[in-house]
Amino acid sequence: MDRVMKLASQKAVVIFSKSSCSLCHAIKRLFYDLGASPAIHELDEDPRGREMERALLGLGFSPTVPAVFIGGRLLRLDSTSTVMSLHLNGSLVPMLKEAGAIWL
């Protein structure tokens, strides 16, 4: 869990993902379209991916991806729904600005 939390705090937006996950792709695309450059950790391509996946399970993620951290803070356990809700209600962009992920 320490590795996940350390990685989650190293950049304004961090996404734990799997390369074959279509929801992960949609979430990553949204952040890119908003002008953010998230750190992406593809668990299925990382040698320590299984370890990180177990840590995400320990944090309550099921399924484990996508797991989104903004400003080092974990978004709710259902990251996809949370990100989409924040975007639709206009809260995501201010949150990204506050975290330093976007400037305009």
Side-chain angles (χ1 to χ4, degrees):
M1 192 170 320
D2 291 337
R3 178 165 173 72
V4 167
M5 297 312 288
K6 180 180 178 185
L7 291 171
S9 66
Q10 290 182 339
K11 201 155 183 200
V13 177
V14 178
I15 302 172
F16 292 91
S17 176
K18 287 188 178 176
S19 59
S20 61
C21 172
S22 58
L23 286 175
C24 297
H25 176 75
I27 292 295
K28 291 183 284 190
R29 185 80 255 146
L30 173 64
F31 281 103
Y32 288 130
D33 288 348
L34 292 173
S37 296
I40 307 292
H41 298 283
E42 300 287 358
L43 300 181
D44 57 338
E45 296 176 359
D46 190 301
R48 296 175 71 182
R50 287 204 186 262
E51 173 189 330
M52 289 188 283
E53 194 165 5
R54 282 191 297 275
L56 291 168
L57 280 170
L59 290 172
F61 280 92
S62 184
T64 54
V65 293
V68 179
F69 292 78
I70 297 177
R73 293 187 326 237
L74 169 66
L75 289 189
R76 293 188 185 102
L77 299 181
D78 185 2
S79 287
T80 302
S81 294
T82 302
V83 168
M84 297 313 261
S85 294
L86 290 169
H87 181 55
L88 292 173
N89 74 22
S91 302
L92 184 58
V93 169
M95 188 182 286
L96 293 172
K97 286 179 181 178
E98 184 180 320
I102 59 175
W103 294 271
L104 301 174

Coordinates of all heavy atoms in Angstrom, one line a residue:
M1 N 0.8 -1.2 0.0 CA 0.0 0.0 0.0 C 0.9 1.3 0.0 O 0.5 2.3 -0.6 CB -0.9 0.0 1.2 CG -2.0 1.1 1.1 SD -3.3 1.0 2.3 CE -3.7 -0.7 2.5
D2 N 2.0 1.2 0.6 CA 2.9 2.3 0.7 C 3.3 2.8 -0.7 O 3.4 4.0 -1.0 CB 4.2 2.0 1.5 CG 3.9 1.8 2.9 OD1 2.9 2.3 3.4 OD2 4.7 1.1 3.6
R3 N 3.6 1.8 -1.6 CA 4.0 2.1 -3.0 C 2.9 2.9 -3.7 O 3.1 3.9 -4.4 CB 4.4 0.9 -3.8 CG 4.8 1.2 -5.2 CD 5.5 0.0 -5.8 NE 5.7 0.2 -7.2 CZ 6.6 1.0 -7.8 NH1 7.3 1.8 -7.0 NH2 6.7 1.1 -9.1
V4 N 1.7 2.4 -3.6 CA 0.5 3.0 -4.2 C 0.4 4.5 -3.7 O 0.2 5.4 -4.5 CB -0.8 2.2 -4.0 CG1 -2.0 3.0 -4.4 CG2 -0.7 0.9 -4.8
M5 N 0.4 4.6 -2.4 CA 0.2 6.0 -1.8 C 1.4 6.9 -2.2 O 1.2 8.1 -2.5 CB 0.1 5.9 -0.3 CG -1.1 5.1 0.1 SD -2.7 5.6 -0.7 CE -3.0 7.2 0.0
K6 N 2.6 6.4 -2.3 CA 3.7 7.2 -2.7 C 3.6 7.6 -4.2 O 3.8 8.8 -4.5 CB 5.0 6.4 -2.6 CG 6.3 7.2 -3.0 CD 7.5 6.4 -2.8 CE 8.7 7.2 -3.3 NZ 10.0 6.4 -3.2
L7 N 3.2 6.7 -5.1 CA 3.0 7.0 -6.5 C 1.8 8.0 -6.6 O 1.9 8.9 -7.4 CB 2.7 5.8 -7.3 CG 3.9 4.8 -7.5 CD1 3.4 3.5 -8.1 CD2 5.0 5.4 -8.3
A8 N 0.8 7.8 -5.8 CA -0.4 8.7 -5.9 C -0.1 10.1 -5.5 O -0.8 11.0 -5.9 CB -1.5 8.1 -5.0
S9 N 0.9 10.3 -4.7 CA 1.3 11.7 -4.3 C 2.3 12.4 -5.1 O 2.7 13.5 -4.9 CB 1.7 11.7 -2.8 OG 2.9 11.0 -2.7
Q10 N 2.9 11.7 -6.2 CA 4.0 12.2 -6.9 C 3.5 13.2 -8.1 O 4.4 13.9 -8.6 CB 4.8 11.1 -7.5 CG 5.6 10.4 -6.4 CD 6.5 9.3 -7.0 OE1 6.3 8.8 -8.1 NE2 7.5 9.0 -6.2
K11 N 2.3 13.2 -8.4 CA 1.8 14.0 -9.5 C 0.4 14.5 -9.1 O -0.3 13.9 -8.3 CB 1.8 13.3 -10.8 CG 1.8 14.2 -12.0 CD 2.4 13.5 -13.2 CE 2.4 14.6 -14.3 NZ 2.5 14.0 -15.6
A12 N -0.1 15.6 -9.8 CA -1.4 16.1 -9.4 C -2.5 15.2 -9.7 O -3.5 15.1 -9.0 CB -1.6 17.4 -10.2
V13 N -2.4 14.4 -10.8 CA -3.4 13.4 -11.1 C -2.7 12.1 -11.4 O -1.8 12.0 -12.2 CB -4.3 13.8 -12.3 CG1 -5.3 12.6 -12.7 CG2 -5.0 15.1 -12.1
V14 N -3.1 11.0 -10.7 CA -2.6 9.7 -10.9 C -3.7 8.7 -11.1 O -4.7 8.7 -10.4 CB -1.7 9.3 -9.6 CG1 -1.2 7.9 -9.8 CG2 -0.6 10.3 -9.4
I15 N -3.5 7.9 -12.2 CA -4.5 6.9 -12.5 C -3.9 5.5 -12.5 O -2.9 5.3 -13.2 CB -5.2 7.2 -13.9 CG1 -5.8 8.6 -13.9 CG2 -6.2 6.1 -14.2 CD1 -6.3 9.0 -15.2
F16 N -4.4 4.6 -11.8 CA -4.0 3.2 -11.8 C -5.0 2.6 -12.8 O -6.2 2.7 -12.6 CB -4.0 2.6 -10.5 CG -3.0 3.1 -9.6 CD1 -3.2 4.2 -8.7 CD2 -1.7 2.6 -9.6 CE1 -2.2 4.7 -7.9 CE2 -0.7 3.1 -8.7 CZ -1.0 4.2 -7.9
S17 N -4.4 1.9 -13.8 CA -5.2 1.4 -14.9 C -4.8 0.0 -15.4 O -3.8 -0.5 -14.8 CB -5.0 2.4 -16.0 OG -5.7 2.0 -17.2
K18 N -5.5 -0.5 -16.3 CA -5.0 -1.7 -17.0 C -5.2 -1.4 -18.5 O -6.2 -0.8 -18.9 CB -5.8 -3.0 -16.7 CG -5.5 -3.5 -15.3 CD -6.2 -4.8 -15.0 CE -5.8 -5.3 -13.7 NZ -6.5 -6.6 -13.4
S19 N -4.2 -1.8 -19.3 CA -4.2 -1.4 -20.7 C -5.5 -2.0 -21.5 O -5.9 -1.4 -22.5 CB -3.0 -1.9 -21.4 OG -2.8 -3.3 -21.3
S20 N -6.1 -3.0 -21.0 CA -7.2 -3.6 -21.7 C -8.6 -3.1 -21.2 O -9.6 -3.6 -21.7 CB -7.2 -5.2 -21.5 OG -7.2 -5.5 -20.2
C21 N -8.6 -2.2 -20.3 CA -9.8 -1.7 -19.6 C -10.4 -0.6 -20.4 O -9.8 0.5 -20.4 CB -9.5 -1.4 -18.2 SG -10.9 -0.6 -17.3
S22 N -11.6 -0.7 -20.9 CA -12.2 0.3 -21.7 C -12.7 1.5 -20.8 O -12.6 2.7 -21.2 CB -13.4 -0.2 -22.5 OG -14.4 -0.8 -21.6
L23 N -13.1 1.3 -19.6 CA -13.4 2.3 -18.6 C -12.2 3.2 -18.3 O -12.3 4.4 -18.2 CB -14.1 1.8 -17.4 CG -15.5 1.3 -17.5 CD1 -16.0 0.7 -16.2 CD2 -16.4 2.4 -17.9
C24 N -11.1 2.5 -18.1 CA -9.8 3.2 -17.8 C -9.5 4.1 -19.0 O -9.0 5.2 -18.8 CB -8.7 2.2 -17.6 SG -8.9 1.1 -16.2
H25 N -9.6 3.6 -20.2 CA -9.3 4.4 -21.4 C -10.2 5.6 -21.4 O -9.7 6.7 -21.7 CB -9.5 3.6 -22.7 CG -9.3 4.4 -23.9 ND1 -8.1 4.7 -24.4 CD2 -10.2 4.9 -24.8 CE1 -8.2 5.4 -25.5 NE2 -9.5 5.5 -25.7
A26 N -11.5 5.5 -21.1 CA -12.4 6.6 -21.1 C -12.0 7.7 -20.1 O -12.0 8.9 -20.4 CB -13.8 6.2 -20.9
I27 N -11.6 7.2 -18.9 CA -11.2 8.1 -17.8 C -9.9 8.9 -18.2 O -9.8 10.1 -18.1 CB -11.0 7.4 -16.5 CG1 -12.4 6.9 -16.0 CG2 -10.4 8.2 -15.5 CD1 -13.4 8.0 -15.7
K28 N -8.9 8.1 -18.7 CA -7.7 8.7 -19.2 C -7.9 9.8 -20.3 O -7.4 10.9 -20.2 CB -6.7 7.7 -19.7 CG -6.2 6.8 -18.6 CD -5.1 5.8 -19.1 CE -5.8 4.7 -19.8 NZ -4.8 3.6 -20.1
R29 N -8.8 9.4 -21.2 CA -9.1 10.3 -22.3 C -9.7 11.6 -21.8 O -9.4 12.7 -22.3 CB -10.1 9.6 -23.3 CG -10.4 10.3 -24.5 CD -9.3 10.2 -25.6 NE -8.6 11.5 -25.6 CZ -7.3 11.7 -25.8 NH1 -6.5 10.7 -26.1 NH2 -6.8 12.8 -25.8
L30 N -10.6 11.5 -20.8 CA -11.3 12.7 -20.3 C -10.3 13.6 -19.6 O -10.3 14.8 -19.9 CB -12.3 12.3 -19.2 CG -12.9 13.4 -18.4 CD1 -13.7 14.3 -19.3 CD2 -13.8 12.9 -17.3
F31 N -9.3 13.1 -18.9 CA -8.3 13.9 -18.2 C -7.4 14.6 -19.3 O -7.1 15.8 -19.2 CB -7.5 13.2 -17.2 CG -8.2 13.0 -15.9 CD1 -8.8 11.8 -15.6 CD2 -8.3 14.0 -15.0 CE1 -9.4 11.6 -14.4 CE2 -8.9 13.9 -13.8 CZ -9.5 12.7 -13.5
Y32 N -7.0 13.8 -20.3 CA -6.3 14.4 -21.4 C -7.0 15.5 -22.1 O -6.5 16.6 -22.4 CB -5.8 13.4 -22.4 CG -4.7 12.4 -21.9 CD1 -4.9 11.1 -22.1 CD2 -3.6 12.9 -21.3 CE1 -3.9 10.2 -21.6 CE2 -2.6 12.0 -20.9 CZ -2.8 10.7 -21.0 OH -1.8 9.8 -20.6
D33 N -8.3 15.3 -22.4 CA -9.2 16.3 -23.1 C -9.3 17.6 -22.2 O -9.5 18.6 -22.8 CB -10.5 15.7 -23.4 CG -10.5 14.7 -24.5 OD1 -9.4 14.6 -25.2 OD2 -11.5 14.0 -24.7
L34 N -9.3 17.4 -20.9 CA -9.4 18.6 -20.0 C -8.1 19.3 -19.9 O -8.0 20.4 -19.2 CB -9.9 18.2 -18.6 CG -11.3 17.7 -18.6 CD1 -11.7 17.1 -17.2 CD2 -12.3 18.8 -19.0
G35 N -7.0 18.8 -20.5 CA -5.7 19.4 -20.4 C -4.8 19.0 -19.3 O -3.7 19.5 -19.2
A36 N -5.2 18.0 -18.6 CA -4.3 17.4 -17.6 C -3.4 16.3 -18.2 O -3.7 15.8 -19.2 CB -5.2 16.8 -16.5
S37 N -2.3 16.1 -17.5 CA -1.3 15.1 -17.9 C -1.1 14.1 -16.8 O -0.2 14.3 -16.0 CB 0.0 15.7 -18.3 OG -0.1 16.5 -19.5
P38 N -2.1 13.2 -16.6 CA -2.0 12.3 -15.4 C -0.8 11.4 -15.5 O -0.4 11.0 -16.6 CB -3.3 11.6 -15.5 CG -3.7 11.6 -16.9 CD -3.2 12.9 -17.4
A39 N -0.3 11.0 -14.4 CA 0.6 9.8 -14.3 C -0.2 8.6 -14.4 O -1.2 8.4 -13.7 CB 1.4 9.8 -13.0
I40 N 0.1 7.7 -15.4 CA -0.7 6.5 -15.6 C 0.2 5.3 -15.2 O 1.3 5.2 -15.7 CB -1.0 6.4 -17.1 CG1 -1.7 7.6 -17.7 CG2 -1.9 5.1 -17.3 CD1 -3.1 7.9 -17.1
H41 N -0.4 4.5 -14.4 CA 0.3 3.3 -14.0 C -0.5 2.1 -14.4 O -1.6 1.8 -13.9 CB 0.5 3.2 -12.4 CG 1.4 4.4 -12.0 ND1 2.7 4.4 -12.1 CD2 1.0 5.5 -11.4 CE1 3.2 5.5 -11.6 NE2 2.2 6.2 -11.2
E42 N 0.0 1.5 -15.5 CA -0.7 0.3 -16.1 C -0.3 -0.9 -15.3 O 0.8 -1.4 -15.4 CB -0.4 0.1 -17.6 CG -0.7 1.3 -18.4 CD -2.2 1.4 -18.7 OE1 -3.0 0.6 -18.3 OE2 -2.6 2.4 -19.4
L43 N -1.3 -1.4 -14.5 CA -0.9 -2.5 -13.6 C -0.6 -3.8 -14.3 O 0.2 -4.6 -13.8 CB -2.1 -2.8 -12.6 CG -2.5 -1.6 -11.7 CD1 -3.7 -2.0 -10.8 CD2 -1.3 -1.1 -10.9
D44 N -1.1 -4.0 -15.5 CA -0.8 -5.2 -16.2 C 0.5 -5.1 -17.0 O 1.0 -6.1 -17.5 CB -2.0 -5.6 -17.2 CG -2.3 -4.5 -18.2 OD1 -2.0 -3.3 -17.9 OD2 -2.9 -4.8 -19.2
E45 N 1.1 -4.0 -17.0 CA 2.4 -3.8 -17.6 C 3.6 -3.5 -16.7 O 4.7 -3.5 -17.0 CB 2.3 -2.7 -18.7 CG 1.4 -3.0 -19.8 CD 1.2 -1.8 -20.7 OE1 1.8 -0.7 -20.5 OE2 0.4 -2.0 -21.7
D46 N 3.2 -3.3 -15.4 CA 4.2 -3.0 -14.4 C 4.7 -4.3 -13.7 O 3.8 -5.1 -13.3 CB 3.6 -2.0 -13.3 CG 4.6 -1.5 -12.4 OD1 5.3 -2.3 -11.7 OD2 4.8 -0.3 -12.3
P47 N 6.0 -4.5 -13.5 CA 6.4 -5.7 -12.8 C 5.9 -5.9 -11.4 O 5.7 -7.0 -10.9 CB 7.9 -5.6 -12.8 CG 8.3 -4.5 -13.7 CD 7.1 -3.7 -13.9
R48 N 5.5 -4.7 -10.8 CA 4.9 -4.8 -9.4 C 3.4 -4.5 -9.4 O 2.8 -4.2 -8.4 CB 5.7 -3.7 -8.5 CG 7.1 -4.1 -8.4 CD 7.9 -3.1 -7.6 NE 7.6 -3.1 -6.2 CZ 8.1 -2.2 -5.3 NH1 9.0 -1.3 -5.7 NH2 7.7 -2.3 -4.1
G49 N 2.8 -4.7 -10.6 CA 1.4 -4.5 -10.8 C 0.5 -5.3 -9.9 O -0.5 -4.8 -9.3
R50 N 0.8 -6.5 -9.7 CA 0.0 -7.4 -8.8 C 0.0 -6.9 -7.4 O -1.0 -6.9 -6.7 CB 0.4 -8.8 -8.9 CG 0.0 -9.5 -10.2 CD -0.1 -11.0 -10.0 NE -0.3 -11.7 -11.2 CZ -1.5 -12.0 -11.7 NH1 -2.5 -11.8 -10.9 NH2 -1.6 -12.7 -12.8
E51 N 1.2 -6.5 -7.0 CA 1.4 -5.9 -5.6 C 0.5 -4.7 -5.4 O -0.2 -4.5 -4.4 CB 2.8 -5.6 -5.4 CG 3.1 -4.9 -4.1 CD 4.6 -4.4 -4.0 OE1 5.5 -5.1 -4.6 OE2 4.8 -3.4 -3.4
M52 N 0.5 -3.8 -6.5 CA -0.2 -2.6 -6.4 C -1.7 -2.9 -6.5 O -2.5 -2.2 -5.8 CB 0.2 -1.6 -7.5 CG 1.6 -1.0 -7.3 SD 2.0 0.3 -8.5 CE 2.4 -0.7 -9.9
E53 N -2.1 -3.9 -7.2 CA -3.5 -4.3 -7.3 C -4.0 -4.8 -6.0 O -5.1 -4.4 -5.6 CB -3.7 -5.3 -8.4 CG -5.1 -5.5 -8.8 CD -5.3 -6.3 -10.1 OE1 -4.3 -6.8 -10.7 OE2 -6.4 -6.4 -10.5
R54 N -3.2 -5.5 -5.3 CA -3.6 -6.0 -3.9 C -3.7 -4.8 -3.0 O -4.6 -4.8 -2.1 CB -2.6 -7.0 -3.4 CG -2.7 -8.4 -4.0 CD -1.9 -9.4 -3.2 NE -0.5 -9.2 -3.3 CZ 0.3 -9.6 -4.3 NH1 -0.2 -10.2 -5.3 NH2 1.6 -9.3 -4.3
A55 N -2.9 -3.8 -3.1 CA -2.9 -2.6 -2.3 C -4.2 -1.9 -2.6 O -4.9 -1.4 -1.6 CB -1.7 -1.7 -2.5
L56 N -4.6 -1.7 -3.8 CA -5.9 -1.1 -4.2 C -7.1 -1.8 -3.6 O -8.0 -1.2 -3.2 CB -6.0 -0.9 -5.7 CG -5.0 0.1 -6.3 CD1 -5.0 0.0 -7.8 CD2 -5.3 1.5 -5.9
L57 N -7.0 -3.2 -3.7 CA -8.1 -4.0 -3.1 C -8.1 -3.7 -1.6 O -9.2 -3.6 -1.0 CB -7.8 -5.5 -3.3 CG -8.2 -6.0 -4.6 CD1 -7.7 -7.4 -4.8 CD2 -9.7 -6.0 -4.8
G58 N -7.0 -3.5 -0.9 CA -6.9 -3.2 0.5 C -7.5 -1.8 0.8 O -8.0 -1.6 1.9
L59 N -7.5 -0.9 -0.2 CA -8.1 0.4 0.0 C -9.6 0.4 -0.3 O -10.3 1.3 -0.1 CB -7.5 1.4 -0.9 CG -6.0 1.8 -0.6 CD1 -5.5 2.7 -1.7 CD2 -6.0 2.6 0.7
G60 N -10.1 -0.8 -0.7 CA -11.5 -1.0 -0.9 C -12.0 -0.9 -2.4 O -13.2 -1.0 -2.7
F61 N -11.0 -0.9 -3.3 CA -11.4 -0.9 -4.7 C -11.7 -2.3 -5.2 O -11.0 -3.2 -5.0 CB -10.2 -0.4 -5.6 CG -10.1 1.1 -5.6 CD1 -9.2 1.8 -4.7 CD2 -10.8 1.9 -6.5 CE1 -9.1 3.1 -4.7 CE2 -10.6 3.2 -6.6 CZ -9.8 3.9 -5.7
S62 N -12.9 -2.4 -5.8 CA -13.3 -3.7 -6.4 C -14.3 -3.3 -7.5 O -15.4 -2.9 -7.1 CB -13.9 -4.6 -5.4 OG -14.2 -5.8 -6.0
P63 N -14.0 -3.3 -8.7 CA -12.7 -3.7 -9.3 C -11.6 -2.7 -9.0 O -11.9 -1.6 -8.6 CB -13.0 -3.8 -10.8 CG -14.1 -2.8 -11.0 CD -14.9 -2.9 -9.8
T64 N -10.4 -3.1 -9.2 CA -9.3 -2.3 -8.7 C -9.0 -1.1 -9.7 O -8.3 -0.2 -9.3 CB -8.0 -3.1 -8.6 OG1 -7.8 -3.8 -9.8 CG2 -8.1 -4.1 -7.5
V65 N -9.4 -1.2 -10.9 CA -9.2 -0.1 -11.9 C -10.5 0.4 -12.5 O -11.4 -0.4 -12.6 CB -8.1 -0.5 -12.9 CG1 -6.8 -0.8 -12.3 CG2 -8.6 -1.7 -13.7
P66 N -10.5 1.6 -12.9 CA -9.5 2.6 -12.7 C -9.6 3.2 -11.3 O -10.7 3.3 -10.7 CB -10.0 3.7 -13.7 CG -11.4 3.6 -13.9 CD -11.7 2.1 -13.7
A67 N -8.4 3.5 -10.8 CA -8.3 4.1 -9.5 C -7.7 5.5 -9.7 O -6.6 5.6 -10.3 CB -7.5 3.3 -8.5
V68 N -8.4 6.5 -9.3 CA -8.0 7.9 -9.6 C -7.7 8.7 -8.3 O -8.5 8.6 -7.3 CB -9.1 8.6 -10.4 CG1 -8.7 10.1 -10.7 CG2 -9.5 7.9 -11.7
F69 N -6.5 9.3 -8.3 CA -6.1 10.2 -7.2 C -5.9 11.6 -7.8 O -5.3 11.7 -8.8 CB -4.8 9.7 -6.6 CG -4.9 8.4 -5.9 CD1 -4.9 7.2 -6.6 CD2 -4.9 8.3 -4.5 CE1 -5.0 6.0 -5.9 CE2 -5.0 7.1 -3.8 CZ -5.0 5.9 -4.5
I70 N -6.5 12.6 -7.1 CA -6.3 14.0 -7.5 C -5.7 14.7 -6.3 O -6.3 14.7 -5.2 CB -7.6 14.6 -8.0 CG1 -8.1 13.9 -9.2 CG2 -7.4 16.1 -8.3 CD1 -9.5 14.4 -9.7
G71 N -4.6 15.3 -6.5 CA -3.9 16.0 -5.4 C -3.5 15.1 -4.3 O -3.5 15.5 -3.2
G72 N -3.2 13.9 -4.7 CA -2.8 12.9 -3.7 C -4.0 12.3 -2.9 O -3.8 11.4 -2.1
R73 N -5.2 12.8 -3.2 CA -6.3 12.2 -2.5 C -7.1 11.2 -3.4 O -7.3 11.5 -4.5 CB -7.3 13.4 -2.1 CG -6.8 14.3 -1.1 CD -7.8 15.3 -0.7 NE -8.7 15.7 -1.8 CZ -8.9 16.9 -2.2 NH1 -8.3 17.9 -1.6 NH2 -9.7 17.2 -3.2
L74 N -7.4 10.2 -2.7 CA -8.2 9.1 -3.4 C -9.6 9.6 -3.7 O -10.3 10.1 -2.8 CB -8.2 7.9 -2.5 CG -9.1 6.7 -2.8 CD1 -8.7 6.1 -4.1 CD2 -9.1 5.7 -1.7
L75 N -10.0 9.4 -4.9 CA -11.5 9.7 -5.2 C -12.2 8.5 -4.6 O -11.7 7.5 -4.4 CB -11.7 9.8 -6.7 CG -11.2 11.1 -7.3 CD1 -11.7 11.2 -8.8 CD2 -11.6 12.4 -6.6
R76 N -13.5 8.7 -4.5 CA -14.3 7.6 -3.9 C -14.1 6.3 -4.6 O -13.5 6.2 -5.7 CB -15.8 8.0 -4.0 CG -16.1 9.2 -3.2 CD -17.6 9.4 -3.1 NE -17.8 10.6 -2.4 CZ -18.1 11.8 -2.9 NH1 -18.2 11.9 -4.2 NH2 -18.3 12.8 -2.2
L77 N -14.5 5.2 -4.0 CA -14.2 3.9 -4.4 C -14.6 3.5 -5.8 O -14.0 2.7 -6.4 CB -14.7 2.9 -3.4 CG -14.1 3.1 -2.0 CD1 -14.6 2.0 -1.0 CD2 -12.5 3.0 -2.0
D78 N -15.7 4.2 -6.3 CA -16.1 3.9 -7.6 C -15.6 5.1 -8.5 O -16.4 6.0 -8.8 CB -17.6 3.8 -7.7 CG -18.1 3.4 -9.1 OD1 -17.2 3.2 -10.0 OD2 -19.3 3.3 -9.3
S79 N -14.3 5.1 -8.8 CA -13.7 6.2 -9.4 C -14.4 6.6 -10.7 O -14.5 7.8 -11.0 CB -12.2 6.0 -9.7 OG -11.5 6.0 -8.5
T80 N -14.8 5.7 -11.5 CA -15.4 6.0 -12.8 C -16.6 6.9 -12.6 O -16.8 7.9 -13.2 CB -15.7 4.8 -13.6 OG1 -14.5 4.0 -13.8 CG2 -16.3 5.1 -15.0
S81 N -17.6 6.4 -11.8 CA -18.8 7.2 -11.5 C -18.5 8.5 -10.9 O -19.1 9.5 -11.2 CB -19.7 6.4 -10.6 OG -20.2 5.2 -11.3
T82 N -17.5 8.5 -9.9 CA -17.2 9.7 -9.2 C -16.6 10.8 -10.2 O -17.0 11.9 -10.2 CB -16.2 9.5 -8.1 OG1 -16.8 8.5 -7.2 CG2 -15.8 10.7 -7.4
V83 N -15.7 10.4 -11.1 CA -15.1 11.3 -12.0 C -16.1 11.8 -13.0 O -16.2 13.0 -13.2 CB -13.9 10.6 -12.8 CG1 -13.5 11.4 -14.0 CG2 -12.8 10.3 -11.9
M84 N -17.0 11.0 -13.5 CA -18.0 11.4 -14.4 C -19.0 12.3 -13.7 O -19.4 13.4 -14.3 CB -18.8 10.2 -15.0 CG -17.8 9.3 -15.9 SD -16.8 10.3 -17.0 CE -17.7 10.1 -18.5
S85 N -19.4 12.0 -12.5 CA -20.3 12.9 -11.7 C -19.7 14.3 -11.5 O -20.3 15.3 -11.7 CB -20.7 12.3 -10.4 OG -21.5 11.1 -10.6
L86 N -18.4 14.3 -11.1 CA -17.7 15.5 -10.9 C -17.6 16.4 -12.1 O -17.8 17.6 -12.1 CB -16.3 15.3 -10.3 CG -16.2 14.8 -8.9 CD1 -14.8 14.3 -8.6 CD2 -16.7 15.8 -7.9
H87 N -17.4 15.7 -13.2 CA -17.3 16.4 -14.5 C -18.7 17.0 -14.9 O -18.7 18.1 -15.3 CB -16.8 15.4 -15.6 CG -16.6 16.1 -17.0 ND1 -15.9 17.2 -17.2 CD2 -17.2 15.7 -18.2 CE1 -16.0 17.5 -18.5 NE2 -16.7 16.6 -19.1
L88 N -19.7 16.2 -14.8 CA -21.0 16.7 -15.2 C -21.6 17.8 -14.3 O -22.3 18.6 -14.8 CB -22.0 15.5 -15.2 CG -21.7 14.4 -16.3 CD1 -22.7 13.2 -16.2 CD2 -21.9 15.1 -17.7
N89 N -21.2 17.8 -13.0 CA -21.7 18.8 -12.1 C -20.8 20.0 -12.1 O -21.0 21.0 -11.3 CB -22.1 18.3 -10.7 CG -20.9 18.0 -9.9 OD1 -19.8 18.5 -10.1 ND2 -21.1 17.1 -8.9
G90 N -19.7 20.0 -12.9 CA -18.8 21.2 -13.0 C -17.8 21.3 -11.9 O -17.1 22.3 -11.7
S91 N -17.6 20.2 -11.1 CA -16.6 20.2 -10.0 C -15.2 19.7 -10.3 O -14.3 20.0 -9.6 CB -17.1 19.4 -8.8 OG -18.4 19.8 -8.4
L92 N -15.1 19.0 -11.4 CA -13.8 18.3 -11.7 C -12.8 19.4 -12.1 O -11.7 19.3 -11.7 CB -14.0 17.3 -12.8 CG -12.8 16.5 -13.2 CD1 -12.2 15.8 -12.0 CD2 -13.1 15.5 -14.3
V93 N -13.1 20.3 -13.0 CA -12.1 21.3 -13.5 C -11.6 22.1 -12.3 O -10.4 22.3 -12.2 CB -12.7 22.2 -14.6 CG1 -11.8 23.4 -14.9 CG2 -12.9 21.3 -15.9
P94 N -12.4 22.7 -11.4 CA -11.9 23.4 -10.3 C -11.0 22.5 -9.4 O -10.0 23.0 -8.9 CB -13.1 23.9 -9.5 CG -14.2 23.9 -10.5 CD -13.9 22.8 -11.5
M95 N -11.4 21.2 -9.2 CA -10.6 20.3 -8.4 C -9.2 20.1 -9.1 O -8.2 20.1 -8.4 CB -11.3 19.0 -8.3 CG -10.6 18.0 -7.4 SD -11.5 16.4 -7.3 CE -13.0 16.9 -6.4
L96 N -9.2 20.0 -10.4 CA -7.9 19.9 -11.1 C -7.1 21.1 -11.1 O -5.8 21.0 -10.9 CB -8.2 19.5 -12.6 CG -8.8 18.1 -12.9 CD1 -9.2 17.9 -14.3 CD2 -7.8 17.0 -12.4
K97 N -7.7 22.3 -11.1 CA -7.0 23.5 -11.0 C -6.4 23.7 -9.6 O -5.2 24.0 -9.4 CB -7.9 24.7 -11.2 CG -8.2 24.9 -12.7 CD -9.2 26.1 -12.9 CE -9.5 26.3 -14.3 NZ -10.5 27.4 -14.5
E98 N -7.1 23.3 -8.6 CA -6.7 23.4 -7.2 C -5.5 22.4 -7.0 O -4.5 22.8 -6.2 CB -7.8 23.0 -6.2 CG -7.4 23.1 -4.8 CD -8.6 22.7 -3.9 OE1 -9.7 23.1 -4.2 OE2 -8.3 22.0 -2.9
A99 N -5.5 21.3 -7.6 CA -4.4 20.3 -7.5 C -3.2 20.7 -8.3 O -2.1 20.1 -8.2 CB -4.9 18.9 -7.9
G100 N -3.3 21.7 -9.2 CA -2.2 22.1 -10.1 C -2.1 21.2 -11.3 O -1.1 21.3 -12.0
A101 N -3.1 20.5 -11.7 CA -3.1 19.7 -12.9 C -3.4 20.4 -14.1 O -2.9 20.1 -15.2 CB -4.1 18.5 -12.7
I102 N -4.2 21.5 -14.0 CA -4.4 22.4 -15.1 C -4.4 23.8 -14.6 O -4.5 24.1 -13.5 CB -5.8 22.1 -15.8 CG1 -7.0 22.2 -14.8 CG2 -5.8 20.7 -16.5 CD1 -8.3 22.1 -15.5
W103 N -4.2 24.8 -15.6 CA -4.0 26.2 -15.2 C -5.1 27.1 -15.7 O -5.4 28.1 -15.1 CB -2.6 26.7 -15.6 CG -1.5 26.0 -14.9 CD1 -1.0 26.3 -13.7 CD2 -0.9 24.8 -15.3 NE1 0.0 25.4 -13.4 CE2 0.1 24.4 -14.3 CE3 -1.0 23.9 -16.4 CZ2 0.9 23.3 -14.4 CZ3 -0.2 22.8 -16.5 CH2 0.7 22.5 -15.5
L104 N -5.7 26.7 -16.8 CA -6.7 27.6 -17.4 C -8.1 27.2 -17.1 O -8.5 26.1 -16.9 CB -6.5 27.7 -18.9 CG -5.1 28.2 -19.3 CD1 -5.0 28.0 -20.9 CD2 -4.9 29.6 -18.9

